[in-house]
Amino acid sequence: MTATNGFIIGDGSWNLQIYVSDLQVERTLRVKGDLHIGGVMLRLVEDLDIAMDWSDHALWWPNRNSWLTRTRSTLDQYGVQADAKLQFTRMHKTARIQLPDLRYVDMRVDFSIKTFNAVIQICKELNIRHPEELSLSKPLEPYHLKHNMKEMQYNGGQTPSADTNSFAINNHSPSGSTGSLDMTSSPFICAPLKHHSTPISSPVSQNGTWKKGYSKPEMNGNVTSLEMLNGSLDTSLANSPLSLNQEVRNKVLKPKSLVEKARMNVAWLDSSLSIMEQGVREYDLLKLRFKFYSFYDLNPRLDSVRINQIYEQAKWSLLSGEIDCTEEEALMFAALQVQINLKASVPQPLMETSGGDDDIDAALSDLQITLEGFQPQSNVNNLTHAPELSDYLRFLK
Protein backbone atom coordinates (compact mmCIF):
# COMPACT_ATOMS: atom_id res chain seq x y z
CA MET A 1 0.00 0.00 0.00
CA THR A 2 1.21 3.52 -0.80
CA ALA A 3 1.04 6.42 1.66
CA THR A 4 -1.00 9.54 0.91
CA ASN A 5 -0.60 12.62 3.15
CA GLY A 6 0.63 10.48 6.00
CA PHE A 7 -2.18 7.91 5.67
CA ILE A 8 -1.90 4.46 4.18
CA ILE A 9 -4.50 3.57 1.59
CA GLY A 10 -6.73 0.88 2.99
CA ASP A 11 -6.13 1.75 6.65
CA GLY A 12 -9.79 2.69 7.19
CA SER A 13 -9.39 6.45 6.86
CA TRP A 14 -11.70 8.58 4.75
CA ASN A 15 -12.35 12.22 3.81
CA LEU A 16 -14.71 14.32 5.94
CA GLN A 17 -16.10 17.57 4.50
CA ILE A 18 -16.70 20.41 6.99
CA TYR A 19 -18.16 23.82 6.11
CA VAL A 20 -16.98 26.73 8.31
CA SER A 21 -19.91 29.14 8.47
CA ASP A 22 -18.01 32.20 9.76
CA LEU A 23 -15.41 32.06 6.99
CA GLN A 24 -17.77 30.52 4.40
CA VAL A 25 -15.08 28.06 3.38
CA GLU A 26 -15.04 24.27 3.18
CA ARG A 27 -12.29 22.02 4.43
CA THR A 28 -11.65 18.32 3.87
CA LEU A 29 -10.02 16.31 6.65
CA ARG A 30 -8.63 12.79 6.46
CA VAL A 31 -10.07 11.04 9.52
CA LYS A 32 -10.82 7.63 10.95
CA GLY A 33 -13.95 6.42 12.67
CA ASP A 34 -12.26 6.17 16.07
CA LEU A 35 -11.38 9.90 16.09
CA HIS A 36 -13.37 11.80 18.73
CA ILE A 37 -15.31 14.99 17.97
CA GLY A 38 -12.91 17.16 19.97
CA GLY A 39 -10.03 15.89 17.88
CA VAL A 40 -11.91 16.69 14.68
CA MET A 41 -12.47 20.29 15.78
CA LEU A 42 -8.84 20.61 16.88
CA ARG A 43 -7.54 19.40 13.54
CA LEU A 44 -9.96 21.69 11.71
CA VAL A 45 -8.78 24.76 13.65
CA GLU A 46 -5.15 23.82 13.01
CA ASP A 47 -5.89 23.39 9.30
CA LEU A 48 -7.58 26.82 9.14
CA ASP A 49 -4.57 28.44 10.87
CA ILE A 50 -6.50 31.62 11.74
CA ALA A 51 -6.00 33.33 15.10
CA MET A 52 -9.51 33.82 16.47
CA ASP A 53 -11.66 32.58 19.33
CA TRP A 54 -13.23 29.25 18.35
CA SER A 55 -14.51 28.34 21.85
CA ASP A 56 -18.14 29.11 20.95
CA HIS A 57 -18.14 26.85 17.88
CA ALA A 58 -19.42 23.30 17.54
CA LEU A 59 -20.19 20.79 14.79
CA TRP A 60 -23.68 20.70 13.32
CA TRP A 61 -24.97 17.82 11.16
CA PRO A 62 -27.67 19.20 8.83
CA ASN A 63 -28.78 15.83 7.44
CA ARG A 64 -29.41 14.43 10.92
CA ASN A 65 -30.56 17.80 12.25
CA SER A 66 -28.46 17.43 15.40
CA TRP A 67 -25.49 18.89 17.22
CA LEU A 68 -22.32 16.90 17.80
CA THR A 69 -21.71 18.35 21.27
CA ARG A 70 -20.29 15.27 23.01
CA THR A 71 -16.63 15.96 22.30
CA ARG A 72 -15.45 12.63 23.74
CA SER A 73 -17.66 10.56 21.45
CA THR A 74 -16.13 9.22 18.28
CA LEU A 75 -17.33 9.57 14.72
CA ASP A 76 -18.41 5.92 14.71
CA GLN A 77 -20.50 6.44 17.82
CA TYR A 78 -22.29 9.34 16.16
CA GLY A 79 -22.68 7.41 12.91
CA VAL A 80 -20.71 9.89 10.82
CA GLN A 81 -19.64 8.33 7.51
CA ALA A 82 -17.74 9.54 4.47
CA ASP A 83 -20.92 10.88 2.85
CA ALA A 84 -21.67 13.20 5.81
CA LYS A 85 -21.26 16.95 5.42
CA LEU A 86 -20.81 18.81 8.70
CA GLN A 87 -20.90 22.50 9.53
CA PHE A 88 -18.62 24.26 12.01
CA THR A 89 -20.81 27.09 13.33
CA ARG A 90 -21.39 29.21 16.40
CA MET A 91 -23.56 27.93 19.23
CA HIS A 92 -24.67 31.40 20.40
CA LYS A 93 -26.65 33.19 17.71
CA THR A 94 -28.76 36.32 17.55
CA ALA A 95 -32.52 35.84 17.80
CA ARG A 96 -35.33 38.37 17.93
CA ILE A 97 -37.47 37.66 21.00
CA GLN A 98 -41.00 39.02 21.32
CA LEU A 99 -41.90 39.62 24.96
CA PRO A 100 -45.41 39.11 26.38
CA ASP A 101 -46.05 42.87 26.06
CA LEU A 102 -45.45 42.52 22.27
CA ARG A 103 -42.13 44.37 22.32
CA TYR A 104 -39.07 42.93 20.59
CA VAL A 105 -35.59 42.41 22.00
CA ASP A 106 -32.54 41.21 20.06
CA MET A 107 -30.65 38.72 22.21
CA ARG A 108 -27.79 36.23 21.97
CA VAL A 109 -29.26 32.76 22.53
CA ASP A 110 -27.53 29.40 22.79
CA PHE A 111 -28.93 27.31 19.93
CA SER A 112 -27.13 24.12 21.02
CA ILE A 113 -28.68 23.52 24.45
CA LYS A 114 -32.20 22.39 25.28
CA THR A 115 -34.95 24.94 24.88
CA PHE A 116 -35.70 24.73 28.60
CA ASN A 117 -32.13 25.77 29.45
CA ALA A 118 -32.18 28.48 26.79
CA VAL A 119 -35.32 29.97 28.38
CA ILE A 120 -33.54 29.97 31.75
CA GLN A 121 -30.67 31.99 30.27
CA ILE A 122 -33.07 34.42 28.56
CA CYS A 123 -35.06 35.00 31.76
CA LYS A 124 -31.86 35.52 33.72
CA GLU A 125 -30.86 38.35 31.37
CA LEU A 126 -34.37 39.83 31.53
CA ASN A 127 -34.47 39.53 35.35
CA ILE A 128 -37.54 37.27 35.35
CA ARG A 129 -37.72 34.78 38.19
CA HIS A 130 -39.07 31.23 37.91
CA PRO A 131 -38.31 30.67 34.21
CA GLU A 132 -40.00 27.26 34.34
CA GLU A 133 -43.30 29.11 33.86
CA LEU A 134 -42.26 30.37 30.41
CA SER A 135 -41.37 28.83 27.08
CA LEU A 136 -40.60 29.79 23.49
CA SER A 137 -42.94 29.46 20.54
CA LYS A 138 -42.80 30.16 16.84
CA PRO A 139 -44.86 32.97 15.32
CA LEU A 140 -48.03 31.83 13.60
CA GLU A 141 -49.95 33.32 10.72
CA PRO A 142 -53.76 33.43 10.47
CA TYR A 143 -53.81 30.63 7.89
CA HIS A 144 -52.09 28.32 10.39
CA LEU A 145 -55.31 28.31 12.41
CA LYS A 146 -57.43 27.08 9.51
CA HIS A 147 -55.83 23.66 9.00
CA ASN A 148 -53.81 21.10 10.88
CA MET A 149 -50.11 21.24 10.19
CA LYS A 150 -49.95 17.82 8.53
CA GLU A 151 -52.80 18.77 6.19
CA MET A 152 -50.91 21.92 5.19
CA GLN A 153 -47.75 19.92 4.51
CA TYR A 154 -49.64 17.44 2.32
CA ASN A 155 -51.34 20.22 0.36
CA GLY A 156 -48.02 21.99 -0.10
CA GLY A 157 -46.44 18.90 -1.63
CA GLN A 158 -43.90 18.56 1.18
CA THR A 159 -43.09 15.33 2.93
CA PRO A 160 -44.58 15.47 6.43
CA SER A 161 -42.03 14.89 9.15
CA ALA A 162 -42.65 13.58 12.62
CA ASP A 163 -43.14 16.29 15.22
CA THR A 164 -44.17 16.42 18.83
CA ASN A 165 -47.11 18.78 18.30
CA SER A 166 -49.06 17.00 15.58
CA PHE A 167 -52.83 16.56 15.78
CA ALA A 168 -53.04 13.86 13.14
CA ILE A 169 -52.80 10.16 14.02
CA ASN A 170 -50.45 7.87 12.20
CA ASN A 171 -52.68 5.24 10.66
CA HIS A 172 -49.75 2.93 9.98
CA SER A 173 -49.35 2.13 13.67
CA PRO A 174 -51.86 -0.36 15.12
CA SER A 175 -51.72 1.36 18.50
CA GLY A 176 -52.37 4.82 17.05
CA SER A 177 -48.89 6.09 17.87
CA THR A 178 -47.50 8.98 15.87
CA GLY A 179 -44.01 7.53 16.05
CA SER A 180 -42.62 10.78 17.40
CA LEU A 181 -40.63 8.97 20.09
CA ASP A 182 -39.02 6.47 17.73
CA MET A 183 -35.31 7.21 17.43
CA THR A 184 -35.24 5.63 13.99
CA SER A 185 -37.74 8.08 12.53
CA SER A 186 -36.98 11.46 11.09
CA PRO A 187 -35.80 14.15 13.52
CA PHE A 188 -38.29 16.06 15.64
CA ILE A 189 -39.50 19.19 13.96
CA CYS A 190 -42.17 21.32 15.61
CA ALA A 191 -44.47 23.10 13.20
CA PRO A 192 -44.56 25.47 11.51
CA LEU A 193 -41.16 24.75 9.99
CA LYS A 194 -39.38 27.23 7.79
CA HIS A 195 -37.36 25.75 4.96
CA HIS A 196 -34.20 27.86 4.74
CA SER A 197 -32.44 28.09 1.44
CA THR A 198 -29.60 30.17 2.91
CA PRO A 199 -26.85 28.46 4.95
CA ILE A 200 -26.37 28.93 8.67
CA SER A 201 -25.11 32.40 9.66
CA SER A 202 -25.90 33.78 6.24
CA PRO A 203 -25.68 37.59 6.07
CA VAL A 204 -29.19 37.78 4.62
CA SER A 205 -32.20 35.96 6.05
CA GLN A 206 -35.32 34.78 4.29
CA ASN A 207 -36.93 38.21 4.05
CA GLY A 208 -33.62 39.90 3.24
CA THR A 209 -33.94 42.56 5.93
CA TRP A 210 -31.69 41.28 8.72
CA LYS A 211 -27.94 41.72 8.24
CA LYS A 212 -25.26 39.75 9.98
CA GLY A 213 -23.36 41.94 12.44
CA TYR A 214 -26.08 44.59 12.36
CA SER A 215 -25.33 46.54 15.55
CA LYS A 216 -28.25 49.01 15.45
CA PRO A 217 -31.61 47.36 14.78
CA GLU A 218 -34.37 49.48 13.41
CA MET A 219 -36.65 51.03 16.02
CA ASN A 220 -39.86 50.27 14.17
CA GLY A 221 -42.54 48.75 16.32
CA ASN A 222 -40.75 48.91 19.69
CA VAL A 223 -37.66 46.94 18.65
CA THR A 224 -34.63 47.30 20.87
CA SER A 225 -31.64 45.35 22.11
CA LEU A 226 -30.06 44.68 25.47
CA GLU A 227 -27.08 46.91 24.65
CA MET A 228 -29.29 49.87 23.74
CA LEU A 229 -31.02 49.83 27.12
CA ASN A 230 -27.73 50.81 28.86
CA GLY A 231 -28.50 49.24 32.22
CA SER A 232 -32.15 50.35 32.39
CA LEU A 233 -33.50 46.92 31.52
CA ASP A 234 -35.52 46.41 34.70
CA THR A 235 -37.13 49.84 34.51
CA SER A 236 -37.95 49.47 30.82
CA LEU A 237 -39.52 46.01 31.04
CA ALA A 238 -41.43 46.81 34.23
CA ASN A 239 -43.32 49.62 32.47
CA SER A 240 -44.77 48.75 29.08
CA PRO A 241 -45.73 51.50 26.63
CA LEU A 242 -49.37 52.53 26.57
CA SER A 243 -49.60 52.33 22.77
CA LEU A 244 -47.98 49.96 20.29
CA ASN A 245 -47.26 50.12 16.61
CA GLN A 246 -50.33 49.32 14.53
CA GLU A 247 -48.35 46.78 12.54
CA VAL A 248 -47.56 44.87 15.73
CA ARG A 249 -51.22 44.98 16.83
CA ASN A 250 -52.36 43.61 13.48
CA LYS A 251 -50.12 40.54 13.89
CA VAL A 252 -51.94 39.45 17.06
CA LEU A 253 -53.89 36.29 16.24
CA LYS A 254 -57.60 36.25 17.06
CA PRO A 255 -58.93 32.69 17.14
CA LYS A 256 -62.62 32.35 16.34
CA SER A 257 -63.36 28.86 17.64
CA LEU A 258 -62.16 26.33 20.16
CA VAL A 259 -60.41 24.37 17.40
CA GLU A 260 -58.39 27.42 16.36
CA LYS A 261 -57.42 28.02 19.99
CA ALA A 262 -56.19 24.44 20.20
CA ARG A 263 -54.19 24.84 16.97
CA MET A 264 -52.31 27.77 18.50
CA ASN A 265 -50.53 25.31 20.81
CA VAL A 266 -48.72 23.79 17.83
CA ALA A 267 -46.30 26.72 17.91
CA TRP A 268 -44.68 25.76 21.24
CA LEU A 269 -41.11 24.52 20.99
CA ASP A 270 -40.18 21.17 22.50
CA SER A 271 -38.37 21.87 25.77
CA SER A 272 -36.28 18.71 25.48
CA LEU A 273 -34.76 19.66 22.10
CA SER A 274 -32.45 22.48 21.14
CA ILE A 275 -33.70 25.52 19.26
CA MET A 276 -31.62 24.63 16.21
CA GLU A 277 -33.10 21.13 16.01
CA GLN A 278 -36.61 22.58 15.66
CA GLY A 279 -36.04 24.50 12.46
CA VAL A 280 -35.10 27.86 14.01
CA ARG A 281 -32.12 29.67 12.49
CA GLU A 282 -30.19 32.81 13.28
CA TYR A 283 -32.14 36.11 13.16
CA ASP A 284 -35.47 34.24 13.32
CA LEU A 285 -38.34 35.50 15.46
CA LEU A 286 -39.38 33.65 18.62
CA LYS A 287 -42.12 34.50 21.11
CA LEU A 288 -41.48 34.32 24.86
CA ARG A 289 -44.73 33.55 26.64
CA PHE A 290 -45.98 32.26 29.98
CA LYS A 291 -47.02 28.69 29.22
CA PHE A 292 -48.15 27.50 32.65
CA TYR A 293 -50.61 29.78 34.45
CA SER A 294 -49.62 28.68 37.94
CA PHE A 295 -47.50 31.54 39.17
CA TYR A 296 -45.33 30.83 42.17
CA ASP A 297 -43.96 33.26 44.76
CA LEU A 298 -45.03 36.60 43.32
CA ASN A 299 -43.16 39.32 45.19
CA PRO A 300 -43.71 42.97 44.19
CA ARG A 301 -40.23 43.93 45.38
CA LEU A 302 -38.44 41.31 43.27
CA ASP A 303 -40.83 40.57 40.40
CA SER A 304 -41.67 43.98 38.94
CA VAL A 305 -40.72 42.80 35.44
CA ARG A 306 -42.41 39.43 35.87
CA ILE A 307 -45.68 40.88 37.20
CA ASN A 308 -45.85 43.45 34.40
CA GLN A 309 -45.25 40.81 31.72
CA ILE A 310 -47.90 38.52 33.25
CA TYR A 311 -50.36 41.40 33.20
CA GLU A 312 -49.53 42.33 29.61
CA GLN A 313 -49.94 38.76 28.38
CA ALA A 314 -53.29 38.48 30.18
CA LYS A 315 -54.42 41.78 28.66
CA TRP A 316 -53.57 40.84 25.08
CA SER A 317 -54.98 37.34 25.55
CA LEU A 318 -58.32 38.86 26.57
CA LEU A 319 -58.31 41.39 23.73
CA SER A 320 -57.53 38.72 21.14
CA GLY A 321 -60.09 36.25 22.48
CA GLU A 322 -57.49 33.61 23.29
CA ILE A 323 -58.81 33.34 26.85
CA ASP A 324 -62.52 32.87 27.48
CA CYS A 325 -64.05 35.24 30.02
CA THR A 326 -67.44 36.69 30.87
CA GLU A 327 -68.38 40.29 30.34
CA GLU A 328 -68.25 40.94 34.09
CA GLU A 329 -64.70 39.53 34.30
CA ALA A 330 -63.56 41.68 31.38
CA LEU A 331 -65.07 44.79 32.97
CA MET A 332 -63.41 43.98 36.29
CA PHE A 333 -60.05 43.54 34.57
CA ALA A 334 -60.47 46.87 32.75
CA ALA A 335 -61.51 48.62 35.98
CA LEU A 336 -58.41 47.33 37.75
CA GLN A 337 -56.29 48.53 34.84
CA VAL A 338 -57.78 52.03 35.03
CA GLN A 339 -57.30 52.12 38.79
CA ILE A 340 -53.66 51.09 38.51
CA ASN A 341 -52.98 53.72 35.83
CA LEU A 342 -54.61 56.44 37.95
CA LYS A 343 -52.66 55.46 41.05
CA ALA A 344 -49.42 55.32 39.09
CA SER A 345 -49.86 58.93 37.94
CA VAL A 346 -50.43 60.22 41.50
CA PRO A 347 -47.26 60.84 43.55
CA GLN A 348 -47.11 58.63 46.60
CA PRO A 349 -46.57 60.22 50.04
CA LEU A 350 -43.13 59.78 51.56
CA MET A 351 -42.82 57.48 54.55
CA GLU A 352 -41.37 59.12 57.66
CA THR A 353 -39.63 55.98 58.82
CA SER A 354 -36.22 55.21 57.43
CA GLY A 355 -35.81 52.60 54.75
CA GLY A 356 -33.29 50.65 56.79
CA ASP A 357 -35.81 50.05 59.59
CA ASP A 358 -38.40 48.86 57.09
CA ASP A 359 -35.98 46.34 55.63
CA ILE A 360 -35.05 45.07 59.08
CA ASP A 361 -38.69 44.74 60.09
CA ALA A 362 -39.51 42.90 56.87
CA ALA A 363 -36.59 40.51 57.40
CA LEU A 364 -37.67 39.83 60.98
CA SER A 365 -41.25 39.21 59.85
CA ASP A 366 -40.08 36.76 57.19
CA LEU A 367 -37.96 34.98 59.79
CA GLN A 368 -40.95 34.76 62.10
CA ILE A 369 -43.05 33.26 59.31
CA THR A 370 -40.38 30.67 58.60
CA LEU A 371 -39.94 29.65 62.25
CA GLU A 372 -43.55 29.70 63.46
CA GLY A 373 -45.21 28.50 60.26
CA PHE A 374 -48.01 31.06 59.98
CA GLN A 375 -48.66 34.34 58.16
CA PRO A 376 -49.17 37.47 60.33
CA GLN A 377 -52.07 39.62 59.22
CA SER A 378 -49.93 42.78 59.30
CA ASN A 379 -47.45 41.53 56.71
CA VAL A 380 -48.48 40.31 53.27
CA ASN A 381 -45.31 39.91 51.21
CA ASN A 382 -46.37 36.88 49.21
CA LEU A 383 -49.38 37.36 46.95
CA THR A 384 -49.84 33.64 46.38
CA HIS A 385 -49.47 32.51 50.01
CA ALA A 386 -52.50 30.68 51.40
CA PRO A 387 -52.97 30.64 55.18
CA GLU A 388 -52.59 27.21 56.72
CA LEU A 389 -52.63 25.53 60.12
CA SER A 390 -49.46 23.84 61.32
CA ASP A 391 -48.35 22.15 64.51
CA TYR A 392 -46.08 19.38 65.76
CA LEU A 393 -47.37 15.82 66.16
CA ARG A 394 -45.88 13.05 68.25
CA PHE A 395 -46.25 9.45 67.10
CA LEU A 396 -45.91 6.82 69.83
CA LYS A 397 -45.68 3.09 69.33
Side-chain angles (χ1 to χ4, degrees), residues 102-104 218-223 244-245 248:
L102 303 186
R103 286 188 292 177
Y104 297 91
E218 297 179 0
M219 299 294 294
N220 52 351
N222 306 295
V223 180
L244 293 176
N245 192 339
V248 178

Side-chain angles (χ1 to χ4, degrees), residues 9 14 31-32 44 61-62 71 90 114 195 299 306 377:
I9 298 178
W14 38 273
V31 298
K32 292 183 180 180
L44 176 63
W61 195 354
T71 55
R90 293 182 181 270
K114 295 181 180 180
H195 295 271
N299 194 324
R306 180 175 167 220
Q377 296 180 359

Side-chain angles (χ1 to χ4, degrees), residues 70-274:
R70 299 193 305 269
T71 55
R72 295 186 178 182
S73 299
T74 62
L75 296 174
D76 287 340
Q77 291 175 340
Y78 267 113
V80 179
Q81 302 293 334
D83 58 345
K85 294 183 179 180
L86 306 181
Q87 293 184 2
F88 193 56
T89 182
R90 293 182 181 270
M91 294 181 289
H92 286 79
K93 301 177 183 295
T94 303
R96 176 162 289 188
I97 307 297
Q98 186 187 46
L99 302 178
D101 60 357
L102 303 186
R103 286 188 292 177
Y104 297 91
V105 178
D106 295 332
M107 303 182 63
R108 297 284 294 176
V109 183
D110 194 344
F111 277 52
S112 63
I113 61 177
K114 295 181 180 180
T115 302
F116 181 81
N117 297 330
V119 173
I120 293 178
Q121 294 183 358
I122 293 174
C123 293
K124 184 177 181 180
E125 295 187 30
L126 299 178
N127 195 19
I128 298 178
R129 297 199 308 156
H130 300 289
E132 65 275 4
E133 300 171 353
L134 298 93
S135 186
L136 293 173
S137 65
K138 296 181 181 180
L140 295 178
E141 299 295 337
Y143 62 85
H144 288 136
L145 305 182
K146 303 301 181 182
H147 307 280
N148 290 341
M149 294 309 302
K150 281 200 171 183
E151 295 177 359
M152 296 177 60
Q153 291 172 345
Y154 276 119
N155 295 334
Q158 303 173 0
T159 303
S161 56
D163 58 73
T164 57
N165 298 327
S166 176
F167 296 124
I169 298 179
N170 187 3
N171 296 326
H172 299 285
S173 176
S175 59
S177 173
T178 59
S180 59
L181 298 180
D182 298 335
M183 299 303 296
T184 57
S185 61
S186 57
F188 295 102
I189 299 177
C190 294
L193 174 63
K194 293 182 179 180
H195 295 271
H196 298 266
S197 58
T198 55
I200 302 175
S201 300
S202 174
V204 183
S205 63
Q206 287 293 99
N207 52 18
T209 57
W210 290 52
K211 301 293 184 179
K212 183 180 179 181
Y214 191 47
S215 59
K216 294 183 179 181
E218 297 179 0
M219 299 294 294
N220 52 351
N222 306 295
V223 180
T224 183
S225 63
L226 296 179
E227 293 78 6
M228 297 176 63
L229 294 174
N230 294 326
S232 61
L233 180 61
D234 295 347
T235 306
S236 176
L237 298 181
N239 299 283
S240 300
L242 298 178
S243 60
L244 293 176
N245 192 339
Q246 187 63 32
E247 181 181 358
V248 178
R249 297 171 63 94
N250 294 336
K251 291 183 179 180
V252 177
L253 296 181
K254 298 180 180 180
K256 303 299 183 181
S257 63
L258 185 61
V259 176
E260 293 186 357
K261 294 179 182 179
R263 285 173 179 154
M264 293 183 65
N265 293 320
V266 79
W268 292 109
L269 296 184
D270 193 335
S271 298
S272 62
L273 300 176
S274 67

Side-chain angles (χ1 to χ4, degrees), residues 252-304:
V252 177
L253 296 181
K254 298 180 180 180
K256 303 299 183 181
S257 63
L258 185 61
V259 176
E260 293 186 357
K261 294 179 182 179
R263 285 173 179 154
M264 293 183 65
N265 293 320
V266 79
W268 292 109
L269 296 184
D270 193 335
S271 298
S272 62
L273 300 176
S274 67
I275 298 178
M276 194 88 158
E277 292 173 345
Q278 303 182 65
V280 181
R281 296 297 180 263
E282 191 172 10
Y283 306 115
D284 280 357
L285 172 63
L286 291 174
K287 299 166 64 176
L288 181 67
R289 295 291 186 269
F290 288 91
K291 187 176 183 180
F292 305 101
Y293 301 113
S294 179
F295 308 112
Y296 175 74
D297 189 21
L298 284 173
N299 194 324
R301 294 181 301 175
L302 303 176
D303 298 322
S304 58

